[in-house]
Amino acid sequence: MAKHIFSTNQKHPLGKRRCTFCTNQIEYIDYKDLPTLKHFVDGFRRIKNRYYTGACLNHQKQLANAVKRARFIGLIKFTN
Amino acid sequence: MAKKTTKVEAVSAAETEKKPYELMFILKDMLESTYKKKLKDFKEFLENGGATVSVEDIWGKRPLAYRIKGKDDGIFVVYNFIAPTGFVHEVNEHLRIDTEVIRHLIVSVPKSYSYTVFKEEPAEEKPVKKENKPFKKNRRVEDREEKPVKKEEKQETHEEKGKPDKANLDEKLDKLLGGGDLNM
């Protein structure tokens, strides 16, 4: 996966927000991809809401799954 | 009876269907030669079960994000293989029983998936302290330079003390006891 800039889409109004995964044509979100996953985790290590990530429903579900897998295998902390 | 046989056939057909999987597990920290031997055996176990291993990636020793089974770090290993669905349960059981495996995860992967290595961003380097700081001339610095010399002297004295000459001791004792100084 090439380097992508994952913005939280907060600059755009609600109607014009687009999923960053869709625009970059990413089909599968890998749980080993820690540099991208860190953008979608809170300061308290909680998974960010769809309102903040700007991801579509399909990708948000994949994302949550990836974060949970990474937590389980010991790549990411559950909490601080 | 005919119905039953058809069911069994259907189940076996579903189990022999091959799918791509990704397996990651964490081994206890051990010597490189021992874990390589172990992984070689494990790969043979996979291939004997009808799996075709496409990727074997050994990440090596890595710290865990949190403590698992009393361990702070482990050896991460990743496998990508195509295997019949029935065999995956066997692999899962095999890893569950193994005491040297801290944790494992088997994930089914889309057919278009290709293994990629993600580079972790290097941790922020702490500002290195300047090695040769211009010290002000303190007494302490002078003391530090002198100390080792004193130690050597002390060691010499210890050696002398450690081996007391018996002849000298006897003479001294004779002087003390038979010298007439002591009037009992």
Side-chain angles (χ1 to χ4, degrees):
Chain A
M1 202 186 291
K3 265 196 173 182
H4 300 299
I5 299 162
F6 292 98
S7 65
T8 52
N9 268 332
Q10 289 290 302
K11 289 172 189 172
H12 306 291
L14 267 173
K16 289 189 177 179
R17 289 182 193 177
R18 292 285 174 271
C19 173
T20 44
F21 295 103
C22 289
T23 51
N24 293 318
Q25 294 181 339
I26 296 164
E27 288 179 4
Y28 175 73
I29 301 171
D30 204 332
Y31 66 95
K32 302 188 296 298
D33 190 1
L34 303 183
T36 56
L37 288 185
K38 78 173 185 187
H39 291 280
F40 301 100
V41 178
D42 204 352
F44 298 102
R45 316 264 176 172
R46 299 181 72 199
I47 299 164
K48 275 184 189 169
N49 199 337
R50 202 149 78 89
Y51 179 81
Y52 298 102
T53 59
C56 67
L57 183 59
N58 188 10
H59 278 123
Q60 179 67 20
K61 282 181 175 177
Q62 275 193 44
L63 190 75
N65 215 349
V67 172
K68 285 168 187 174
R69 280 170 178 174
R71 279 174 182 167
F72 173 75
I73 203 70
L75 297 171
I76 294 178
K77 280 181 181 177
F78 277 88
T79 55
N80 282 341
Chain B
M1 290 295 288
K3 278 183 183 175
K4 275 186 182 175
T5 50
T6 49
K7 268 189 181 177
V8 168
E9 279 172 7
V11 168
S12 62
E15 282 185 347
T16 51
E17 190 193 349
K18 287 194 172 183
K19 277 184 177 180
Y21 293 96
E22 186 170 83
L23 161 67
M24 181 190 260
F25 61 87
I26 311 167
L27 284 170
K28 278 180 187 175
D29 189 17
M30 54 175 91
L31 285 172
E32 195 174 336
S33 56
T34 49
Y35 78 69
K36 278 192 173 174
K37 197 179 279 180
K38 194 178 167 64
L39 293 177
K40 206 177 180 183
D41 293 341
F42 182 72
K43 202 178 177 183
E44 277 181 14
F45 164 74
L46 285 179
E47 282 166 354
N48 290 334
T52 50
V53 180
S54 56
V55 175
E56 185 192 24
D57 191 9
I58 302 162
W59 289 12
K61 196 180 170 185
R62 241 185 89 99
L64 301 171
Y66 53 92
R67 191 172 286 177
I68 305 171
K69 290 186 183 174
K71 303 284 184 297
D72 287 324
D73 41 28
I75 296 151
F76 282 67
V77 189
V78 186
Y79 281 96
N80 275 13
F81 58 88
I82 299 165
T85 50
F87 178 62
V88 178
H89 295 290
E90 266 179 59
V91 176
N92 196 19
E93 197 66 10
H94 183 267
L95 290 169
R96 193 182 64 80
I97 291 165
D98 199 337
T99 51
E100 286 177 333
V101 176
I102 299 173
R103 193 159 279 190
H104 69 278
L105 176 70
I106 303 173
V107 174
S108 71
V109 167
K111 283 181 181 177
S112 59
Y113 175 79
S114 62
Y115 184 77
T116 46
V117 180
F118 300 101
K119 281 182 183 177
E120 278 187 55
E121 290 167 9
E124 289 176 11
E125 289 179 9
K126 290 175 185 176
V128 183
K129 287 179 184 177
K130 287 176 185 175
E131 289 180 358
N132 298 322
K133 271 188 177 179
F135 283 120
K136 288 178 184 176
K137 279 192 177 179
N138 289 330
R139 282 182 183 176
R140 281 185 178 178
V141 178
E142 291 168 6
D143 288 342
R144 277 175 203 161
E145 288 170 357
E146 286 173 7
K147 265 183 182 177
V149 180
K150 279 180 183 175
K151 273 184 182 176
E152 284 172 11
E153 284 175 4
K154 273 183 183 177
Q155 280 176 353
E156 285 171 10
T157 51
H158 267 291
E159 281 173 7
E160 284 173 5
K161 280 179 183 176
K163 294 173 183 175
D165 292 327
K166 281 187 177 179
N168 284 335
L169 258 178
D170 288 339
E171 281 177 15
K172 278 180 185 177
L173 277 171
D174 286 336
K175 274 183 184 176
L176 280 169
L177 295 170
D181 293 327
L182 288 167
N183 293 319
M184 297 294 284

